[in-house]
Amino acid sequence: EATYSDVVSIGCSGSFTIDRIWNLSDNCGNVISHTQQITVLDTISPIFTVPLDVIVYDCGGDTTTANTGDVVDEMDNCSTILDATYYDVIIGGCVGSFTVERNWSLTDDCGNTTSDIQTITVIDTLAPIFSAPPDLTVYDCGLDTAAVNTGMVTDAIDNCGTNLIISYYDVLIGTCVGSYTVSRTWTVEDNCGNSDSQVQTIYVQDTVRPTFTVPADITLYTCSADT
């Protein structure tokens, strides 16, 4: 009856080679040997669950795994020490809003790899803040009420963008000629379309009396004179 002995050469976890040496002897001690090679290969990739897609409502938001999710269920048929890794691809939108394509991968000791993608959407939903110029009363009906004369927005700030669009439009509410009200609506908008509006009221009042010259005194020497 043939017998054998094995010589095992260890490779990666789950893959190894067995050199099986077979021997066969007859009753007179004649021996013949052959070697059989058995190769054990791990070709099964590990498995894991990619973190859920997530939306972060802040351009400065934390997109680390502590805030957006980590892989916690790495499993493999052979390897036991597993740790998923990732790299990010940033797809830009407006300033403050962008998408992170997080490419997760998990590789076992034999090089079998599984990959999946998590999408992290960062959205800027916060409007800029500012103070409208103070209301004022102007006692001159002929004054130029352009913003350079009646006040500009100087303190606009935003959580994300720096190139803010500042604009205004006027609605005139008239009473008498020379006295009216300017309702000035100021709007500040960031790069992602978030905006805030405030109203400045400019009161234009005419308080100056008209002037004229009375005709000179006159003496008419006829009782029937046309006065």
Side-chain angles (χ1 to χ4, degrees):
E1 183 176 350
T3 60
Y4 69 87
S5 61
D6 289 343
V7 177
V8 179
S9 299
I10 301 297
C12 57
S13 297
S15 293
F16 54 92
T17 301
I18 300 172
D19 286 329
R20 179 159 291 169
I21 303 170
W22 290 94
N23 297 294
L24 185 60
S25 301
D26 63 15
N27 292 328
C28 293
N30 300 301
V31 178
I32 187 171
S33 298
H34 291 291
T35 299
Q36 174 192 20
Q37 190 173 75
I38 303 168
T39 302
V40 179
L41 298 176
D42 174 19
T43 59
I44 298 176
S45 297
I47 60 175
F48 70 95
T49 303
V50 70
L52 295 175
D53 294 343
V54 64
I55 298 176
V56 178
Y57 292 97
D58 184 359
C59 63
D62 182 6
T63 59
T64 63
T65 56
N67 189 50
T68 58
D70 200 354
V71 174
V72 296
D73 61 350
E74 296 97 333
M75 292 186 297
D76 187 60
N77 61 319
C78 297
S79 301
T80 56
I81 301 176
L82 298 169
D83 187 19
T85 60
Y86 69 87
Y87 67 90
D88 290 340
V89 176
I90 307 298
I91 302 173
C94 56
V95 175
S97 292
F98 55 92
T99 300
V100 178
E101 285 192 351
R102 180 155 292 167
N103 295 264
W104 289 94
S105 63
L106 182 61
T107 303
D108 65 17
D109 291 336
C110 292
N112 302 301
T113 301
T114 300
S115 299
D116 206 347
I117 294 177
Q118 174 194 18
T119 300
I120 303 168
T121 304
V122 180
I123 300 177
D124 174 19
T125 59
L126 296 179
I129 59 176
F130 72 99
S131 299
D135 296 345
L136 76 159
T137 300
V138 178
Y139 297 97
D140 184 356
C141 63
L143 178 70
D144 182 1
T145 57
V148 293
N149 297 319
T150 57
M152 301 282 290
V153 172
T154 59
D155 62 350
I157 58 174
D158 186 59
N159 63 318
C160 299
T162 55
N163 297 321
L164 301 176
I165 301 172
I166 302 175
S167 61
Y168 69 86
Y169 68 89
D170 291 342
V171 175
L172 301 183
I173 304 171
T175 53
C176 60
V177 176
S179 292
Y180 56 92
T181 299
V182 179
S183 179
R184 178 162 292 164
T185 301
W186 288 93
T187 300
V188 178
E189 182 177 337
D190 66 17
N191 293 307
C192 292
N194 303 301
S195 64
D196 187 28
S197 296
Q198 296 183 31
V199 176
Q200 174 195 19
T201 302
I202 303 168
Y203 302 96
V204 180
Q205 296 184 4
D206 176 15
T207 59
V208 179
R209 295 177 178 177
T211 62
F212 69 99
T213 302
V214 69
D217 295 342
I218 187 172
T219 299
L220 301 176
Y221 295 96
T222 173
C223 61
S224 60
D226 181 5
T227 58

